């Protein structure tokens, strides 16, 4: 085929959404597992040339990195749904006007691989919040989590809401721990979210506080009870909130 085949030593593949692609269905992902990399290599190797000169926007920019750090660049469109008819389109980074057709089998394998990369098979993993080495009790708030259904080839979302505010507030305050002024809160996630936000809640208002790069925050000098809400977003289908309280003595 006319397309340059990637080497058998591909170590990493990164799919980023083309900025000109306006559909929210595009999901960015990176892959290093050999099985995933083989799916990508197979799709490229099986691709067939499309007649004519193409001038179109594609869904993904794809970068493949060899173990010697050589890079290969492609543009890729897969469509939105798993079915027996959709074929993907691949453009070689060295010749963006020459297109290559990806079979519906390889297209579906690529799309399924990308969708599965956004899921948490065992559900969202709760973070650990510590202050001066002591673990703080957390209470779950609103959340959404996606799971992969291999029969329908679709993501299925499960969402939940927290208990009634009065009940939740009583539980949080009842389990709040006593800390010294200027103590440091440390937040750790088993799987790091794309975005982490921490808010102090006072009289029903949320005031943002900044975590440093290591996930630390120094509590205020103001004595009394303080409630916090921790918001985590992994992607558009997986997000969660957690509440905790402290007494600053």
């Amino acid at each position: 085929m006319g397309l340059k085949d990637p080497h058998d030593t591909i170590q990493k593949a990164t799919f980023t959404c083309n900025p000109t692609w306006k559909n929210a269905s595009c999901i960015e992902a990176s892959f290093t597992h050999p099985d995933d990399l083989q799916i990508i290599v197979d799709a490229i190797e099986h691709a067939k040339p499309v007649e004519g000169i193409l001038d179109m926007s594609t869904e993904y920019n794809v970068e493949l990195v060899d173990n010697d750090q050589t890079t290969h660049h492609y543009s890729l469109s897969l469509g939105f749904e798993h079915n027996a008819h959709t074929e993907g389109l691949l453009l070689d980074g060295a010749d963006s006007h020459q297109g290559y057709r990806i079979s519906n089998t390889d297209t579906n394998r690529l799309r399924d691989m990308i969708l599965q990369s956004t899921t948490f098979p065992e559900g969202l993993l709760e973070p650990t919040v510590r202050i001066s080495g002591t673990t703080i009790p957390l209470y779950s708030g609103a959340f959404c989590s996606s799971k992969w259904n291999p029969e329908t080839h679709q993501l299925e979302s499960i969402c939940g809401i927290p208990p009634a505010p009065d009940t939740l507030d009583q539980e949080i305050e009842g389990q709040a721990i006593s800390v010294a002024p200027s103590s440091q809160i440390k937040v750790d996630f088993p799987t790091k979210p794309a975005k982490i936000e921490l808010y102090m809640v006072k009289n029903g208002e949320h005031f943002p506080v900044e975590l440093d790069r290591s996930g630390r925050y120094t509590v205020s000098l103001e004595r009394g009870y303080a409630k916090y809400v921790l918001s985590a977003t992994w992607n558009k289908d997986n997000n969660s909130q957690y509440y905790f309280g402290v007494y600053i003595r």
Side-chain angles (χ1 to χ4, degrees):
M1 59 185 236
L3 185 63
K4 300 191 302 293
D5 292 341
H7 300 311
D8 294 331
T9 55
I10 295 297
Q11 298 295 302
K12 183 178 181 180
T14 302
F15 290 65
T16 56
C17 297
N18 189 330
T20 62
W21 189 264
K22 302 300 183 182
N23 195 291
S25 67
C26 186
I27 297 171
E28 297 189 338
S30 293
F31 303 94
T32 57
H33 193 282
D35 291 346
D36 295 329
L37 298 177
Q38 191 59 53
I39 289 174
I40 299 167
V41 170
D42 287 347
I44 295 175
E45 290 181 340
H46 300 160
K48 304 297 183 184
V50 175
E51 293 185 3
I53 296 176
L54 300 181
D55 183 12
M56 60 179 294
S57 175
T58 51
E59 190 175 0
Y60 288 102
N61 295 322
V62 182
E63 180 182 78
L64 307 184
V65 182
D66 289 348
N67 58 1
D68 64 0
Q69 300 305 301
T70 301
T71 59
H72 310 263
H73 293 92
Y74 304 92
S75 296
L76 175 69
S77 287
L78 297 174
F80 311 134
E81 297 181 358
H82 183 109
N83 60 59
H85 307 292
T86 301
E87 293 184 333
L89 177 68
L90 184 72
L91 303 179
D92 185 2
D95 184 5
S96 60
H97 295 296
Q98 174 60 60
Y100 296 84
R101 186 178 68 254
I102 302 176
S103 71
N104 58 72
T105 298
D106 285 332
T107 297
N108 287 330
R109 291 178 73 201
L110 286 169
R111 188 188 302 104
D112 290 358
M113 177 188 72
I114 292 171
L115 288 173
Q116 288 183 73
S117 73
T118 71
T119 66
F120 294 81
E122 304 303 323
L124 298 178
L125 301 178
E126 188 173 277
T128 300
V129 178
R130 295 184 179 90
I131 192 162
S132 301
T134 301
T135 299
I136 302 176
L138 297 179
Y139 292 85
S140 295
F143 74 91
C144 280
S145 175
S146 62
K147 290 189 176 182
W148 176 251
N149 187 326
E151 295 182 359
T152 63
H153 299 275
Q154 298 290 330
L155 293 178
E156 296 181 350
S157 294
I158 301 172
C159 294
I161 58 175
D166 290 345
T167 301
L168 183 62
D169 286 345
Q170 290 178 6
E171 293 180 355
I172 296 169
E173 187 169 359
Q175 293 296 317
I177 67 171
S178 178
V179 303
S182 299
S183 297
Q184 279 200 332
I185 292 174
K186 178 70 167 66
V187 178
D188 290 301
F189 282 87
T191 302
K192 187 176 180 180
K195 185 178 183 180
I196 303 173
E197 297 173 298
L198 181 65
Y199 299 88
M200 178 185 289
V201 184
K202 287 185 177 180
N203 300 320
E205 292 189 57
H206 289 57
F207 298 91
V209 296
E210 187 173 352
L211 293 169
D212 66 18
R213 290 187 178 183
S214 63
R216 298 181 188 274
Y217 162 69
T218 302
V219 300
S220 71
L221 296 173
E222 183 179 347
R223 287 173 169 79
Y225 173 66
K227 184 177 78 172
Y228 292 89
V229 56
L230 177 65
S231 176
T233 302
W234 287 268
N235 51 56
K236 66 184 181 67
D237 297 306
N238 294 276
N239 54 78
S240 189
Q241 290 182 335
Y242 308 92
Y243 295 88
F244 63 92
V246 297
Y247 280 104
I248 304 171
R249 56 180 181 266

